[in-house]
């Protein structure tokens, strides 16, 4: 939801009084590494390493970061396709961190995931009708007029034709396949949708269409989104807030406008400078120099001490190696984890 659409979503209470729909505290996922004959644990991949955030009902949180920063793992933890090794996930005030299969069943309706790859996430041997209708059968949900009618309505809602019901995934383009994935995710009217790089596998020319579809559906159905992307430009127009992840941590989280106008973490600045600004005069005014990120994200098996970004940071000092910078609010609604955050002129 963008700010201009706020009026379309009924809000039962002022934002400050409301319990967030999702609250994540100290969320951690370490994948054990085993070795030797006894398969003893010799280490861990610290894919998600203690992150905190909330998502309010009706809003969109964008999550960005390079490949390998733990975004997908975080998405799978929230949707409980995977189980955290530490921390807590609360949905509508209920602790769902370690719920078993049975206790999760009603929640499976409320929290849905859209996957990155519309080619591999749809079973090629099933028709569109079977794929989009599967949630109704799995959850034993009866609909007025039958499943077929419900599926055809969903297809239309997602910009497909009801006649596509008997067709197979390979008959569709990438964008259309992602629409099928979206229709399936929305079948049971979830409250929250986690979309993991929903347009990364698509042609640039159709990415905006799919992002706009998600935006329209949010308004129509009152959805709450967590949208993962590796590129800041993809989530800019649909996010209310944006979180930047680096090596299993959130390094910056802020209201959308605050983040894009005044990115404070060096990593965010580097990601931002990778976003093309078409008009060179605007680029100058924004004071944006091109920062090239050198090297790859280090291994989460043995992350750098102190600040994890220090091995690639042009501002690093000794303190960055010895002390981990805590995520701190430097402005209302703007938190940063850096010992030497950027402060642009004209901003306090
Ligand atoms: N099942 C797994 N077992 C071991 N390591 C994993 C597993 N899943 C992800 N990882 C590792 O965790 C890190 C974060 O991965 P991922 O969450 O996919 O990042 P992103 O989505 O940001 O690219 C990577 O180093 C990846 O190799
Ligand atoms: S804490 Fe130090 S190394 Fe980390 S981002 Fe800030 S300046 Fe760079
Ligand atoms: Mg990923």
């Amino acid at each position: 939801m963008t700010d201009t659409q706020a009026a379309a979503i009924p809000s039962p209470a002022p934002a400050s009084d409301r319990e967030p729909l999702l609250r994540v505290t100290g969320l951690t996922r370490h994948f054990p590494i085993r070795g030797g004959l006894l398969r003893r644990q010799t280490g861990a991949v610290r894919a998600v390493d203690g992150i905190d955030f909330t998502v309010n009902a009706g809003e969109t949180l964008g999550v960005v970061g390079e490949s390998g920063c733990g975004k997908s793992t975080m998405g799978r933890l929230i949707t409980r396709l995977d189980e955290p090794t530490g921390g807590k996930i609360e949905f509508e005030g209920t602790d769902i961190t370690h719920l078993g299969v049975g206790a999760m069943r009603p929640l499976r309706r409320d929290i849905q995931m859209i996957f990155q790859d519309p080619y591999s996430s749809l079973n090629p041997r099933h028709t569109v009708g079977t794929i989009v209708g599967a949630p109704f059968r799995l959850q034993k949900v009866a609909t007025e007029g039958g499943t077929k009618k419900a599926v055809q309505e969903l297809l239309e809602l997602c910009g497909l034709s009801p006649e596509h019901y008997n067709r197979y995934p390979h008959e569709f383009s990438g964008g259309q396949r992602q629409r099928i994935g979206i229709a399936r995710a929305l079948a049971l009217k979830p409250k929250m949708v986690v979309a993991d790089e929903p347009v990364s596998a698509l042609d640039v020319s159709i990415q905006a269409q799919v992002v706009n579809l998600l935006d329209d559906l949010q308004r129509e159905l009152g959805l709450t989104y967590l949208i993962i992307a590796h590129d800041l430009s993809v989530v800019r127009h649909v996010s209310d807030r944006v979180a930047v992840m680096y090596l299993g941590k959130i390094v910056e989280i802020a209201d959308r406008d605050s983040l894009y106008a005044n990115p404070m973490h060096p990593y965010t600045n580097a990601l931002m400078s990778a976003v093309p600004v078409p008009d060179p005069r605007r680029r100058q005014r924004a004071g944006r120099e091109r920062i090239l990120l050198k090297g790859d994200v280090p291994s989460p098996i043995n992350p750098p001490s102190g600040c994890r970004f220090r091995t690639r940071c042009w501002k690093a000092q000794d303190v960055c190696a010895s002390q981990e910078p805590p995520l701190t609010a430097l402005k209302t609604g703007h938190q940063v984890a850096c010992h030497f955050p950027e402060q642009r002129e004209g901003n306090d």
Side-chain angles (χ1 to χ4, degrees):
M1 182 178 79
T2 51
D3 34 13
T4 48
Q5 293 138 14
I9 306 290
S11 54
S16 53
D17 303 356
R18 260 182 294 150
E19 176 63 16
L21 186 67
L22 179 78
R23 182 188 292 280
V24 166
T25 321
L27 188 67
T28 304
R29 178 61 163 114
H30 290 180
F31 296 104
I33 301 168
R34 297 182 194 281
L37 281 176
L38 299 174
R39 310 284 305 145
R40 279 210 193 93
Q41 186 173 339
T42 54
V45 182
R46 294 154 72 167
V48 172
D49 212 10
I51 61 180
D52 304 280
F53 63 86
T54 57
V55 187
N56 293 320
E59 80 168 346
T60 297
L61 176 70
V63 177
V64 297
E66 286 161 290
S67 185
C69 285
K71 306 181 300 297
S72 295
T73 303
M74 190 261 282
R76 292 173 53 80
L77 294 173
I78 291 166
T79 47
R80 280 302 320 277
L81 295 172
D82 189 12
E83 192 167 347
T85 48
K88 195 163 156 189
I89 306 168
E90 289 160 282
F91 185 77
E92 293 188 308
T94 305
D95 185 346
I96 65 163
T97 322
H98 300 292
L99 287 187
V101 177
M104 264 310 287
R105 189 158 295 132
L107 275 156
R108 292 255 173 255
R109 289 184 65 162
D110 289 341
I111 315 175
Q112 289 289 328
M113 189 143 177
I114 296 169
F115 297 93
Q116 171 172 358
D117 186 352
Y119 297 89
S120 65
S121 61
L122 305 177
N123 187 327
R125 287 183 298 275
H126 288 170
T127 62
V128 170
T130 306
I131 291 168
V132 178
F136 294 106
R137 284 186 292 278
L138 288 170
Q139 288 270 354
K140 299 188 175 56
V141 174
T143 52
E144 219 180 300
T147 302
K148 181 169 182 181
K149 182 160 171 275
V151 168
Q152 291 185 322
E153 281 169 6
L154 275 163
L155 293 178
E156 276 199 286
L157 188 66
C158 295
L160 296 159
S161 156
E163 272 111 69
H164 291 154
Y165 190 86
N166 288 315
R167 302 245 215 111
Y168 289 86
H170 73 261
E171 299 176 59
F172 295 90
S173 68
Q176 287 174 314
R177 287 189 222 196
Q178 196 55 298
R179 288 172 192 266
I180 298 168
I182 293 169
R184 174 178 59 185
L186 298 184
L188 302 177
K189 303 205 169 18
K191 291 177 180 154
M192 169 137 202
V193 174
V194 175
D196 187 1
E197 304 210 23
V199 299
S200 295
L202 305 179
D203 264 16
V204 175
S205 58
I206 50 170
Q207 289 188 351
Q209 290 172 19
V210 174
V211 170
N212 289 341
L213 171 68
L214 288 171
D215 204 24
D216 292 344
L217 290 168
Q218 176 172 54
R219 236 169 309 154
E220 211 147 319
L221 306 174
L223 298 167
T224 303
Y225 283 152
L226 189 148
I227 301 185
I228 297 169
H230 59 246
D231 182 338
L232 271 163
S233 66
V234 169
V235 292
R236 175 163 195 161
H237 297 288
V238 288
S239 299
D240 297 285
R241 287 185 302 134
V242 176
V244 180
M245 274 185 84
Y246 188 74
L247 257 189
K249 301 266 188 192
I250 289 179
V251 296
E252 183 159 13
I253 181 166
D255 295 333
R256 183 255 317 261
D257 292 340
S258 185
L259 186 99
Y260 285 87
N262 186 19
M264 295 195 212
H265 197 282
Y267 183 58
T268 313
N269 277 278
L271 290 180
M272 205 80 91
S273 88
V275 175
V277 180
D279 178 353
R281 274 169 309 173
R282 261 186 58 209
R283 196 181 314 156
Q284 258 174 13
R285 231 176 300 144
R288 204 160 283 166
E289 286 163 50
R290 238 180 135 67
I291 304 162
L292 275 183
L293 264 181
K294 284 195 219 80
D296 292 326
V297 179
S299 163
I301 297 170
N302 194 6
S305 64
C307 172
R308 292 181 179 197
F309 186 56
R310 70 176 167 81
T311 53
R312 301 167 82 195
C313 183
W314 54 96
K315 297 179 78 179
Q317 308 283 324
D318 290 348
V319 64
C320 302
S322 57
Q323 282 177 36
E324 183 176 337
L327 192 62
T328 312
L330 295 187
K331 288 202 311 186
T332 314
H334 198 142
Q335 292 173 279
V336 191
C338 175
H339 294 303
F340 307 101
E342 300 278 336
Q343 300 279 8
R344 270 171 209 283
E345 251 180 273
N347 286 291
D348 45 41

